[in-house]
Amino acid sequence: MDADAHPLPTTLHWAVRLLRAEAVALGLVAVWLIWSDLTAPTHDLVSALLVTAFALAGAAALWALGGALARRRSGGRAPAIVLQLMLLPVGWYMIQGGLGWLGLPLMALGLGVTALLVSTPTNRALGFH
């Protein structure tokens, strides 16, 4: 029987959902950045456009990785973990900057999704034994 015929384990299903939710959230940030690029006075347009492009690329990457993992493509796991671990320094600097209300949940999200991606049911579903 084909492995794709079996439903995704709960851990992988939630990891995919959370990756897709992160993609949507980052996409909304990118939309706000586009609006800001178009309406706010700018001192460095190139930097503003690069930050916007980075947000768009991040949203696209998170969405694509969620899709790859939903299709049980094991190659999507490592880049997804890297993106989740990138939330740790981002959250840390948010805490240092007085935004602990946002930094702590981001760090928890990164660690939580990473835990889902390395869990035993996810390993089995992706073919890691």
Side-chain angles (χ1 to χ4, degrees), residues 2-44:
D2 187 12
D4 291 335
H6 298 291
L8 290 178
T10 304
T11 55
L12 183 54
H13 179 74
W14 275 102
V16 168
R17 280 183 146 181
L18 291 169
L19 286 168
R20 292 272 170 98
E22 289 175 19
V24 169
L26 192 53
L28 290 172
V29 169
V31 168
W32 177 79
L33 287 169
I34 290 168
W35 176 255
S36 180
D37 291 345
L38 294 173
T39 60
T42 183
H43 300 285
D44 188 358

PDB file of all heavy atoms in Angstrom, residues 2-44:
ATOM      1  N   ASP A   2       0.471   2.249  -0.723  1.00  0.00           N
ATOM      2  CA  ASP A   2       1.221   3.494  -0.848  1.00  0.00           C
ATOM      3  C   ASP A   2       1.180   4.269   0.458  1.00  0.00           C
ATOM      4  O   ASP A   2       0.140   4.392   1.104  1.00  0.00           O
ATOM      5  CB  ASP A   2       0.607   4.314  -1.979  1.00  0.00           C
ATOM      6  CG  ASP A   2       1.407   5.547  -2.321  1.00  0.00           C
ATOM      7  OD1 ASP A   2       2.558   5.651  -1.850  1.00  0.00           O
ATOM      8  OD2 ASP A   2       0.893   6.392  -3.066  1.00  0.00           O
ATOM      9  N   ALA A   3       2.334   4.831   0.863  1.00  0.00           N
ATOM     10  CA  ALA A   3       2.406   5.594   2.112  1.00  0.00           C
ATOM     11  C   ALA A   3       1.515   6.829   2.063  1.00  0.00           C
ATOM     12  O   ALA A   3       1.004   7.271   3.085  1.00  0.00           O
ATOM     13  CB  ALA A   3       3.853   6.003   2.405  1.00  0.00           C
ATOM     14  N   ASP A   4       1.303   7.386   0.861  1.00  0.00           N
ATOM     15  CA  ASP A   4       0.471   8.578   0.737  1.00  0.00           C
ATOM     16  C   ASP A   4      -1.004   8.280   0.993  1.00  0.00           C
ATOM     17  O   ASP A   4      -1.792   9.186   1.206  1.00  0.00           O
ATOM     18  CB  ASP A   4       0.637   9.210  -0.645  1.00  0.00           C
ATOM     19  CG  ASP A   4       2.020   9.816  -0.827  1.00  0.00           C
ATOM     20  OD1 ASP A   4       2.639  10.175   0.190  1.00  0.00           O
ATOM     21  OD2 ASP A   4       2.478   9.916  -1.971  1.00  0.00           O
ATOM     22  N   ALA A   5      -1.408   7.001   0.949  1.00  0.00           N
ATOM     23  CA  ALA A   5      -2.797   6.634   1.191  1.00  0.00           C
ATOM     24  C   ALA A   5      -3.149   6.761   2.671  1.00  0.00           C
ATOM     25  O   ALA A   5      -4.315   6.882   3.014  1.00  0.00           O
ATOM     26  CB  ALA A   5      -3.051   5.217   0.706  1.00  0.00           C
ATOM     27  N   HIS A   6      -2.175   6.728   3.549  1.00  0.00           N
ATOM     28  CA  HIS A   6      -2.418   6.861   4.981  1.00  0.00           C
ATOM     29  C   HIS A   6      -2.537   8.331   5.351  1.00  0.00           C
ATOM     30  O   HIS A   6      -1.825   9.170   4.817  1.00  0.00           O
ATOM     31  CB  HIS A   6      -1.271   6.223   5.786  1.00  0.00           C
ATOM     32  CG  HIS A   6      -1.121   4.757   5.547  1.00  0.00           C
ATOM     33  ND1 HIS A   6      -2.048   3.837   5.964  1.00  0.00           N
ATOM     34  CD2 HIS A   6      -0.159   4.057   4.922  1.00  0.00           C
ATOM     35  CE1 HIS A   6      -1.662   2.625   5.616  1.00  0.00           C
ATOM     36  NE2 HIS A   6      -0.511   2.732   4.968  1.00  0.00           N
ATOM     37  N   PRO A   7      -3.426   8.651   6.290  1.00  0.00           N
ATOM     38  CA  PRO A   7      -3.528  10.054   6.712  1.00  0.00           C
ATOM     39  C   PRO A   7      -2.257  10.499   7.420  1.00  0.00           C
ATOM     40  O   PRO A   7      -1.509   9.682   7.966  1.00  0.00           O
ATOM     41  CB  PRO A   7      -4.727  10.064   7.657  1.00  0.00           C
ATOM     42  CG  PRO A   7      -4.890   8.650   8.099  1.00  0.00           C
ATOM     43  CD  PRO A   7      -4.352   7.788   6.991  1.00  0.00           C
ATOM     44  N   LEU A   8      -2.027  11.795   7.406  1.00  0.00           N
ATOM     45  CA  LEU A   8      -0.863  12.343   8.101  1.00  0.00           C
ATOM     46  C   LEU A   8      -1.016  12.124   9.595  1.00  0.00           C
ATOM     47  O   LEU A   8      -2.116  12.260  10.129  1.00  0.00           O
ATOM     48  CB  LEU A   8      -0.736  13.841   7.840  1.00  0.00           C
ATOM     49  CG  LEU A   8      -0.348  14.310   6.453  1.00  0.00           C
ATOM     50  CD1 LEU A   8      -0.327  15.835   6.398  1.00  0.00           C
ATOM     51  CD2 LEU A   8       0.987  13.753   6.040  1.00  0.00           C
ATOM     52  N   PRO A   9       0.075  11.814  10.279  1.00  0.00           N
ATOM     53  CA  PRO A   9      -0.019  11.743  11.741  1.00  0.00           C
ATOM     54  C   PRO A   9      -0.331  13.135  12.293  1.00  0.00           C
ATOM     55  O   PRO A   9      -0.049  14.160  11.660  1.00  0.00           O
ATOM     56  CB  PRO A   9       1.361  11.260  12.177  1.00  0.00           C
ATOM     57  CG  PRO A   9       2.262  11.550  11.041  1.00  0.00           C
ATOM     58  CD  PRO A   9       1.426  11.533   9.800  1.00  0.00           C
ATOM     59  N   THR A  10      -0.903  13.151  13.472  1.00  0.00           N
ATOM     60  CA  THR A  10      -1.326  14.410  14.080  1.00  0.00           C
ATOM     61  C   THR A  10      -0.176  15.403  14.201  1.00  0.00           C
ATOM     62  O   THR A  10      -0.349  16.599  13.954  1.00  0.00           O
ATOM     63  CB  THR A  10      -1.940  14.137  15.467  1.00  0.00           C
ATOM     64  OG1 THR A  10      -3.015  13.206  15.303  1.00  0.00           O
ATOM     65  CG2 THR A  10      -2.474  15.400  16.092  1.00  0.00           C
ATOM     66  N   THR A  11       1.002  14.919  14.558  1.00  0.00           N
ATOM     67  CA  THR A  11       2.145  15.825  14.727  1.00  0.00           C
ATOM     68  C   THR A  11       2.517  16.507  13.419  1.00  0.00           C
ATOM     69  O   THR A  11       2.744  17.717  13.388  1.00  0.00           O
ATOM     70  CB  THR A  11       3.363  15.073  15.283  1.00  0.00           C
ATOM     71  OG1 THR A  11       3.646  13.953  14.420  1.00  0.00           O
ATOM     72  CG2 THR A  11       3.119  14.582  16.702  1.00  0.00           C
ATOM     73  N   LEU A  12       2.555  15.747  12.346  1.00  0.00           N
ATOM     74  CA  LEU A  12       2.896  16.325  11.044  1.00  0.00           C
ATOM     75  C   LEU A  12       1.769  17.220  10.543  1.00  0.00           C
ATOM     76  O   LEU A  12       2.019  18.290   9.975  1.00  0.00           O
ATOM     77  CB  LEU A  12       3.208  15.224  10.030  1.00  0.00           C
ATOM     78  CG  LEU A  12       3.653  15.668   8.646  1.00  0.00           C
ATOM     79  CD1 LEU A  12       4.849  16.612   8.717  1.00  0.00           C
ATOM     80  CD2 LEU A  12       3.986  14.462   7.778  1.00  0.00           C
ATOM     81  N   HIS A  13       0.542  16.813  10.771  1.00  0.00           N
ATOM     82  CA  HIS A  13      -0.611  17.629  10.372  1.00  0.00           C
ATOM     83  C   HIS A  13      -0.552  18.999  11.049  1.00  0.00           C
ATOM     84  O   HIS A  13      -0.744  20.029  10.388  1.00  0.00           O
ATOM     85  CB  HIS A  13      -1.898  16.890  10.736  1.00  0.00           C
ATOM     86  CG  HIS A  13      -3.136  17.638  10.403  1.00  0.00           C
ATOM     87  ND1 HIS A  13      -3.600  17.787   9.121  1.00  0.00           N
ATOM     88  CD2 HIS A  13      -4.010  18.301  11.194  1.00  0.00           C
ATOM     89  CE1 HIS A  13      -4.696  18.496   9.135  1.00  0.00           C
ATOM     90  NE2 HIS A  13      -4.980  18.823  10.386  1.00  0.00           N
ATOM     91  N   TRP A  14      -0.263  19.037  12.343  1.00  0.00           N
ATOM     92  CA  TRP A  14      -0.188  20.313  13.062  1.00  0.00           C
ATOM     93  C   TRP A  14       1.027  21.125  12.652  1.00  0.00           C
ATOM     94  O   TRP A  14       0.974  22.350  12.585  1.00  0.00           O
ATOM     95  CB  TRP A  14      -0.245  20.099  14.574  1.00  0.00           C
ATOM     96  CG  TRP A  14      -1.671  20.015  15.003  1.00  0.00           C
ATOM     97  CD1 TRP A  14      -2.376  18.877  15.315  1.00  0.00           C
ATOM     98  CD2 TRP A  14      -2.586  21.099  15.098  1.00  0.00           C
ATOM     99  NE1 TRP A  14      -3.671  19.204  15.606  1.00  0.00           N
ATOM    100  CE2 TRP A  14      -3.831  20.565  15.487  1.00  0.00           C
ATOM    101  CE3 TRP A  14      -2.477  22.468  14.897  1.00  0.00           C
ATOM    102  CZ2 TRP A  14      -4.956  21.352  15.677  1.00  0.00           C
ATOM    103  CZ3 TRP A  14      -3.598  23.252  15.087  1.00  0.00           C
ATOM    104  CH2 TRP A  14      -4.813  22.695  15.474  1.00  0.00           C
ATOM    105  N   ALA A  15       2.129  20.454  12.358  1.00  0.00           N
ATOM    106  CA  ALA A  15       3.311  21.180  11.882  1.00  0.00           C
ATOM    107  C   ALA A  15       2.994  21.879  10.559  1.00  0.00           C
ATOM    108  O   ALA A  15       3.345  23.048  10.370  1.00  0.00           O
ATOM    109  CB  ALA A  15       4.497  20.228  11.723  1.00  0.00           C
ATOM    110  N   VAL A  16       2.321  21.188   9.663  1.00  0.00           N
ATOM    111  CA  VAL A  16       1.943  21.774   8.374  1.00  0.00           C
ATOM    112  C   VAL A  16       0.992  22.947   8.600  1.00  0.00           C
ATOM    113  O   VAL A  16       1.167  24.022   8.000  1.00  0.00           O
ATOM    114  CB  VAL A  16       1.306  20.711   7.454  1.00  0.00           C
ATOM    115  CG1 VAL A  16       0.657  21.351   6.238  1.00  0.00           C
ATOM    116  CG2 VAL A  16       2.354  19.686   7.031  1.00  0.00           C
ATOM    117  N   ARG A  17       0.010  22.772   9.462  1.00  0.00           N
ATOM    118  CA  ARG A  17      -0.933  23.862   9.753  1.00  0.00           C
ATOM    119  C   ARG A  17      -0.227  25.093  10.307  1.00  0.00           C
ATOM    120  O   ARG A  17      -0.522  26.218   9.918  1.00  0.00           O
ATOM    121  CB  ARG A  17      -1.972  23.399  10.766  1.00  0.00           C
ATOM    122  CG  ARG A  17      -3.072  22.595  10.197  1.00  0.00           C
ATOM    123  CD  ARG A  17      -4.053  22.266  11.280  1.00  0.00           C
ATOM    124  NE  ARG A  17      -5.376  22.239  10.693  1.00  0.00           N
ATOM    125  CZ  ARG A  17      -6.465  21.999  11.364  1.00  0.00           C
ATOM    126  NH1 ARG A  17      -6.400  21.804  12.667  1.00  0.00           N
ATOM    127  NH2 ARG A  17      -7.631  21.966  10.775  1.00  0.00           N
ATOM    128  N   LEU A  18       0.686  24.864  11.229  1.00  0.00           N
ATOM    129  CA  LEU A  18       1.393  25.993  11.836  1.00  0.00           C
ATOM    130  C   LEU A  18       2.337  26.673  10.842  1.00  0.00           C
ATOM    131  O   LEU A  18       2.468  27.898  10.845  1.00  0.00           O
ATOM    132  CB  LEU A  18       2.128  25.548  13.096  1.00  0.00           C
ATOM    133  CG  LEU A  18       1.207  25.185  14.270  1.00  0.00           C
ATOM    134  CD1 LEU A  18       1.991  24.504  15.382  1.00  0.00           C
ATOM    135  CD2 LEU A  18       0.487  26.422  14.782  1.00  0.00           C
ATOM    136  N   LEU A  19       2.996  25.894   9.983  1.00  0.00           N
ATOM    137  CA  LEU A  19       3.846  26.492   8.951  1.00  0.00           C
ATOM    138  C   LEU A  19       3.007  27.347   8.005  1.00  0.00           C
ATOM    139  O   LEU A  19       3.406  28.461   7.625  1.00  0.00           O
ATOM    140  CB  LEU A  19       4.590  25.415   8.167  1.00  0.00           C
ATOM    141  CG  LEU A  19       5.748  24.736   8.882  1.00  0.00           C
ATOM    142  CD1 LEU A  19       6.207  23.508   8.107  1.00  0.00           C
ATOM    143  CD2 LEU A  19       6.896  25.708   9.081  1.00  0.00           C
ATOM    144  N   ARG A  20       1.846  26.845   7.628  1.00  0.00           N
ATOM    145  CA  ARG A  20       0.971  27.606   6.738  1.00  0.00           C
ATOM    146  C   ARG A  20       0.442  28.856   7.441  1.00  0.00           C
ATOM    147  O   ARG A  20       0.323  29.912   6.824  1.00  0.00           O
ATOM    148  CB  ARG A  20      -0.177  26.726   6.244  1.00  0.00           C
ATOM    149  CG  ARG A  20       0.283  25.596   5.307  1.00  0.00           C
ATOM    150  CD  ARG A  20       0.302  26.096   3.885  1.00  0.00           C
ATOM    151  NE  ARG A  20       0.914  25.220   2.921  1.00  0.00           N
ATOM    152  CZ  ARG A  20       0.256  24.387   2.125  1.00  0.00           C
ATOM    153  NH1 ARG A  20      -1.044  24.248   2.219  1.00  0.00           N
ATOM    154  NH2 ARG A  20       0.902  23.679   1.223  1.00  0.00           N
ATOM    155  N   ALA A  21       0.129  28.753   8.735  1.00  0.00           N
ATOM    156  CA  ALA A  21      -0.329  29.931   9.488  1.00  0.00           C
ATOM    157  C   ALA A  21       0.777  30.977   9.571  1.00  0.00           C
ATOM    158  O   ALA A  21       0.522  32.186   9.437  1.00  0.00           O
ATOM    159  CB  ALA A  21      -0.784  29.513  10.888  1.00  0.00           C
ATOM    160  N   GLU A  22       2.010  30.526   9.777  1.00  0.00           N
ATOM    161  CA  GLU A  22       3.142  31.451   9.795  1.00  0.00           C
ATOM    162  C   GLU A  22       3.298  32.124   8.436  1.00  0.00           C
ATOM    163  O   GLU A  22       3.603  33.321   8.355  1.00  0.00           O
ATOM    164  CB  GLU A  22       4.436  30.717  10.149  1.00  0.00           C
ATOM    165  CG  GLU A  22       4.520  30.270  11.584  1.00  0.00           C
ATOM    166  CD  GLU A  22       5.768  29.447  11.860  1.00  0.00           C
ATOM    167  OE1 GLU A  22       6.727  29.516  11.061  1.00  0.00           O
ATOM    168  OE2 GLU A  22       5.784  28.734  12.869  1.00  0.00           O
ATOM    169  N   ALA A  23       3.095  31.366   7.364  1.00  0.00           N
ATOM    170  CA  ALA A  23       3.194  31.937   6.018  1.00  0.00           C
ATOM    171  C   ALA A  23       2.149  33.025   5.817  1.00  0.00           C
ATOM    172  O   ALA A  23       2.446  34.092   5.264  1.00  0.00           O
ATOM    173  CB  ALA A  23       3.033  30.838   4.965  1.00  0.00           C
ATOM    174  N   VAL A  24       0.934  32.776   6.265  1.00  0.00           N
ATOM    175  CA  VAL A  24      -0.125  33.777   6.132  1.00  0.00           C
ATOM    176  C   VAL A  24       0.212  35.016   6.958  1.00  0.00           C
ATOM    177  O   VAL A  24       0.081  36.150   6.481  1.00  0.00           O
ATOM    178  CB  VAL A  24      -1.494  33.181   6.546  1.00  0.00           C
ATOM    179  CG1 VAL A  24      -2.550  34.262   6.666  1.00  0.00           C
ATOM    180  CG2 VAL A  24      -1.924  32.106   5.543  1.00  0.00           C
ATOM    181  N   ALA A  25       0.668  34.813   8.195  1.00  0.00           N
ATOM    182  CA  ALA A  25       1.017  35.946   9.061  1.00  0.00           C
ATOM    183  C   ALA A  25       2.145  36.775   8.437  1.00  0.00           C
ATOM    184  O   ALA A  25       2.077  38.011   8.404  1.00  0.00           O
ATOM    185  CB  ALA A  25       1.412  35.458  10.446  1.00  0.00           C
ATOM    186  N   LEU A  26       3.174  36.103   7.936  1.00  0.00           N
ATOM    187  CA  LEU A  26       4.279  36.823   7.312  1.00  0.00           C
ATOM    188  C   LEU A  26       3.830  37.487   6.012  1.00  0.00           C
ATOM    189  O   LEU A  26       4.295  38.579   5.667  1.00  0.00           O
ATOM    190  CB  LEU A  26       5.470  35.885   7.070  1.00  0.00           C
ATOM    191  CG  LEU A  26       6.789  36.521   6.684  1.00  0.00           C
ATOM    192  CD1 LEU A  26       7.196  37.615   7.669  1.00  0.00           C
ATOM    193  CD2 LEU A  26       7.876  35.464   6.596  1.00  0.00           C
ATOM    194  N   GLY A  27       2.902  36.864   5.300  1.00  0.00           N
ATOM    195  CA  GLY A  27       2.334  37.488   4.109  1.00  0.00           C
ATOM    196  C   GLY A  27       1.590  38.771   4.449  1.00  0.00           C
ATOM    197  O   GLY A  27       1.679  39.755   3.719  1.00  0.00           O
ATOM    198  N   LEU A  28       0.874  38.774   5.571  1.00  0.00           N
ATOM    199  CA  LEU A  28       0.185  39.989   6.003  1.00  0.00           C
ATOM    200  C   LEU A  28       1.181  41.083   6.379  1.00  0.00           C
ATOM    201  O   LEU A  28       0.958  42.264   6.087  1.00  0.00           O
ATOM    202  CB  LEU A  28      -0.750  39.679   7.172  1.00  0.00           C
ATOM    203  CG  LEU A  28      -1.974  38.836   6.820  1.00  0.00           C
ATOM    204  CD1 LEU A  28      -2.725  38.436   8.084  1.00  0.00           C
ATOM    205  CD2 LEU A  28      -2.878  39.560   5.835  1.00  0.00           C
ATOM    206  N   VAL A  29       2.281  40.688   7.009  1.00  0.00           N
ATOM    207  CA  VAL A  29       3.340  41.663   7.299  1.00  0.00           C
ATOM    208  C   VAL A  29       3.887  42.226   5.987  1.00  0.00           C
ATOM    209  O   VAL A  29       4.124  43.431   5.865  1.00  0.00           O
ATOM    210  CB  VAL A  29       4.466  41.029   8.145  1.00  0.00           C
ATOM    211  CG1 VAL A  29       5.678  41.937   8.226  1.00  0.00           C
ATOM    212  CG2 VAL A  29       3.961  40.682   9.540  1.00  0.00           C
ATOM    213  N   ALA A  30       4.063  41.360   4.995  1.00  0.00           N
ATOM    214  CA  ALA A  30       4.570  41.820   3.693  1.00  0.00           C
ATOM    215  C   ALA A  30       3.591  42.797   3.035  1.00  0.00           C
ATOM    216  O   ALA A  30       4.021  43.791   2.432  1.00  0.00           O
ATOM    217  CB  ALA A  30       4.824  40.620   2.780  1.00  0.00           C
ATOM    218  N   VAL A  31       2.297  42.529   3.139  1.00  0.00           N
ATOM    219  CA  VAL A  31       1.306  43.455   2.589  1.00  0.00           C
ATOM    220  C   VAL A  31       1.415  44.805   3.286  1.00  0.00           C
ATOM    221  O   VAL A  31       1.381  45.862   2.633  1.00  0.00           O
ATOM    222  CB  VAL A  31      -0.121  42.871   2.720  1.00  0.00           C
ATOM    223  CG1 VAL A  31      -1.184  43.925   2.437  1.00  0.00           C
ATOM    224  CG2 VAL A  31      -0.289  41.680   1.792  1.00  0.00           C
ATOM    225  N   TRP A  32       1.552  44.782   4.605  1.00  0.00           N
ATOM    226  CA  TRP A  32       1.731  46.039   5.346  1.00  0.00           C
ATOM    227  C   TRP A  32       3.004  46.757   4.899  1.00  0.00           C
ATOM    228  O   TRP A  32       3.011  47.972   4.747  1.00  0.00           O
ATOM    229  CB  TRP A  32       1.760  45.762   6.852  1.00  0.00           C
ATOM    230  CG  TRP A  32       2.000  46.996   7.648  1.00  0.00           C
ATOM    231  CD1 TRP A  32       1.093  47.967   7.969  1.00  0.00           C
ATOM    232  CD2 TRP A  32       3.255  47.423   8.192  1.00  0.00           C
ATOM    233  NE1 TRP A  32       1.707  48.962   8.700  1.00  0.00           N
ATOM    234  CE2 TRP A  32       3.031  48.653   8.844  1.00  0.00           C
ATOM    235  CE3 TRP A  32       4.535  46.873   8.197  1.00  0.00           C
ATOM    236  CZ2 TRP A  32       4.051  49.335   9.487  1.00  0.00           C
ATOM    237  CZ3 TRP A  32       5.538  47.561   8.842  1.00  0.00           C
ATOM    238  CH2 TRP A  32       5.294  48.779   9.472  1.00  0.00           C
ATOM    239  N   LEU A  33       4.083  45.997   4.685  1.00  0.00           N
ATOM    240  CA  LEU A  33       5.331  46.603   4.222  1.00  0.00           C
ATOM    241  C   LEU A  33       5.172  47.209   2.835  1.00  0.00           C
ATOM    242  O   LEU A  33       5.721  48.286   2.552  1.00  0.00           O
ATOM    243  CB  LEU A  33       6.461  45.571   4.230  1.00  0.00           C
ATOM    244  CG  LEU A  33       6.995  45.175   5.601  1.00  0.00           C
ATOM    245  CD1 LEU A  33       7.904  43.955   5.487  1.00  0.00           C
ATOM    246  CD2 LEU A  33       7.715  46.336   6.252  1.00  0.00           C
ATOM    247  N   ILE A  34       4.439  46.545   1.963  1.00  0.00           N
ATOM    248  CA  ILE A  34       4.193  47.098   0.630  1.00  0.00           C
ATOM    249  C   ILE A  34       3.430  48.410   0.754  1.00  0.00           C
ATOM    250  O   ILE A  34       3.787  49.408   0.114  1.00  0.00           O
ATOM    251  CB  ILE A  34       3.418  46.088  -0.256  1.00  0.00           C
ATOM    252  CG1 ILE A  34       4.320  44.902  -0.604  1.00  0.00           C
ATOM    253  CG2 ILE A  34       2.889  46.757  -1.525  1.00  0.00           C
ATOM    254  CD1 ILE A  34       3.593  43.728  -1.220  1.00  0.00           C
ATOM    255  N   TRP A  35       2.392  48.419   1.588  1.00  0.00           N
ATOM    256  CA  TRP A  35       1.635  49.651   1.814  1.00  0.00           C
ATOM    257  C   TRP A  35       2.546  50.749   2.351  1.00  0.00           C
ATOM    258  O   TRP A  35       2.485  51.887   1.903  1.00  0.00           O
ATOM    259  CB  TRP A  35       0.482  49.375   2.771  1.00  0.00           C
ATOM    260  CG  TRP A  35      -0.277  50.617   3.131  1.00  0.00           C
ATOM    261  CD1 TRP A  35      -0.216  51.303   4.312  1.00  0.00           C
ATOM    262  CD2 TRP A  35      -1.167  51.338   2.297  1.00  0.00           C
ATOM    263  NE1 TRP A  35      -1.023  52.398   4.261  1.00  0.00           N
ATOM    264  CE2 TRP A  35      -1.626  52.447   3.032  1.00  0.00           C
ATOM    265  CE3 TRP A  35      -1.631  51.159   1.003  1.00  0.00           C
ATOM    266  CZ2 TRP A  35      -2.518  53.371   2.513  1.00  0.00           C
ATOM    267  CZ3 TRP A  35      -2.531  52.076   0.488  1.00  0.00           C
ATOM    268  CH2 TRP A  35      -2.957  53.165   1.235  1.00  0.00           C
ATOM    269  N   SER A  36       3.388  50.377   3.298  1.00  0.00           N
ATOM    270  CA  SER A  36       4.319  51.349   3.877  1.00  0.00           C
ATOM    271  C   SER A  36       5.303  51.857   2.827  1.00  0.00           C
ATOM    272  O   SER A  36       5.607  53.053   2.789  1.00  0.00           O
ATOM    273  CB  SER A  36       5.071  50.711   5.046  1.00  0.00           C
ATOM    274  OG  SER A  36       5.963  51.615   5.622  1.00  0.00           O
ATOM    275  N   ASP A  37       5.787  50.950   1.979  1.00  0.00           N
ATOM    276  CA  ASP A  37       6.714  51.362   0.916  1.00  0.00           C
ATOM    277  C   ASP A  37       6.068  52.373  -0.029  1.00  0.00           C
ATOM    278  O   ASP A  37       6.727  53.282  -0.540  1.00  0.00           O
ATOM    279  CB  ASP A  37       7.182  50.145   0.097  1.00  0.00           C
ATOM    280  CG  ASP A  37       8.085  49.214   0.880  1.00  0.00           C
ATOM    281  OD1 ASP A  37       8.591  49.618   1.947  1.00  0.00           O
ATOM    282  OD2 ASP A  37       8.264  48.064   0.427  1.00  0.00           O
ATOM    283  N   LEU A  38       4.782  52.200  -0.268  1.00  0.00           N
ATOM    284  CA  LEU A  38       4.079  53.068  -1.214  1.00  0.00           C
ATOM    285  C   LEU A  38       3.629  54.395  -0.609  1.00  0.00           C
ATOM    286  O   LEU A  38       3.484  55.381  -1.335  1.00  0.00           O
ATOM    287  CB  LEU A  38       2.858  52.338  -1.784  1.00  0.00           C
ATOM    288  CG  LEU A  38       3.154  51.127  -2.661  1.00  0.00           C
ATOM    289  CD1 LEU A  38       1.864  50.403  -3.019  1.00  0.00           C
ATOM    290  CD2 LEU A  38       3.914  51.523  -3.914  1.00  0.00           C
ATOM    291  N   THR A  39       3.410  54.420   0.699  1.00  0.00           N
ATOM    292  CA  THR A  39       2.794  55.610   1.290  1.00  0.00           C
ATOM    293  C   THR A  39       3.689  56.388   2.249  1.00  0.00           C
ATOM    294  O   THR A  39       3.487  57.587   2.422  1.00  0.00           O
ATOM    295  CB  THR A  39       1.512  55.232   2.050  1.00  0.00           C
ATOM    296  OG1 THR A  39       1.835  54.313   3.101  1.00  0.00           O
ATOM    297  CG2 THR A  39       0.498  54.606   1.107  1.00  0.00           C
ATOM    298  N   ALA A  40       4.628  55.751   2.869  1.00  0.00           N
ATOM    299  CA  ALA A  40       5.443  56.434   3.882  1.00  0.00           C
ATOM    300  C   ALA A  40       6.614  57.149   3.228  1.00  0.00           C
ATOM    301  O   ALA A  40       7.146  56.679   2.208  1.00  0.00           O
ATOM    302  CB  ALA A  40       5.958  55.427   4.907  1.00  0.00           C
ATOM    303  N   PRO A  41       7.027  58.272   3.815  1.00  0.00           N
ATOM    304  CA  PRO A  41       8.247  58.903   3.309  1.00  0.00           C
ATOM    305  C   PRO A  41       9.437  57.978   3.588  1.00  0.00           C
ATOM    306  O   PRO A  41       9.517  57.368   4.649  1.00  0.00           O
ATOM    307  CB  PRO A  41       8.362  60.200   4.100  1.00  0.00           C
ATOM    308  CG  PRO A  41       7.465  60.031   5.270  1.00  0.00           C
ATOM    309  CD  PRO A  41       6.438  58.999   4.923  1.00  0.00           C
ATOM    310  N   THR A  42      10.305  57.869   2.625  1.00  0.00           N
ATOM    311  CA  THR A  42      11.419  56.937   2.780  1.00  0.00           C
ATOM    312  C   THR A  42      12.747  57.668   2.669  1.00  0.00           C
ATOM    313  O   THR A  42      12.885  58.636   1.939  1.00  0.00           O
ATOM    314  CB  THR A  42      11.337  55.808   1.741  1.00  0.00           C
ATOM    315  OG1 THR A  42      12.402  54.901   1.972  1.00  0.00           O
ATOM    316  CG2 THR A  42      11.421  56.319   0.330  1.00  0.00           C
ATOM    317  N   HIS A  43      13.683  57.141   3.425  1.00  0.00           N
ATOM    318  CA  HIS A  43      15.034  57.688   3.369  1.00  0.00           C
ATOM    319  C   HIS A  43      15.957  56.744   2.609  1.00  0.00           C
ATOM    320  O   HIS A  43      16.990  57.155   2.108  1.00  0.00           O
ATOM    321  CB  HIS A  43      15.566  57.931   4.784  1.00  0.00           C
ATOM    322  CG  HIS A  43      14.727  58.900   5.551  1.00  0.00           C
ATOM    323  ND1 HIS A  43      14.761  60.255   5.322  1.00  0.00           N
ATOM    324  CD2 HIS A  43      13.813  58.713   6.520  1.00  0.00           C
ATOM    325  CE1 HIS A  43      13.907  60.860   6.124  1.00  0.00           C
ATOM    326  NE2 HIS A  43      13.318  59.939   6.862  1.00  0.00           N
ATOM    327  N   ASP A  44      15.569  55.483   2.552  1.00  0.00           N
ATOM    328  CA  ASP A  44      16.383  54.484   1.866  1.00  0.00           C
ATOM    329  C   ASP A  44      15.442  53.479   1.198  1.00  0.00           C
ATOM    330  O   ASP A  44      15.098  52.450   1.778  1.00  0.00           O
ATOM    331  CB  ASP A  44      17.304  53.791   2.868  1.00  0.00           C
ATOM    332  CG  ASP A  44      18.316  52.877   2.191  1.00  0.00           C
ATOM    333  OD1 ASP A  44      18.284  52.743   0.952  1.00  0.00           O
ATOM    334  OD2 ASP A  44      19.131  52.282   2.921  1.00  0.00           O
TER     335      ASP A  44
END
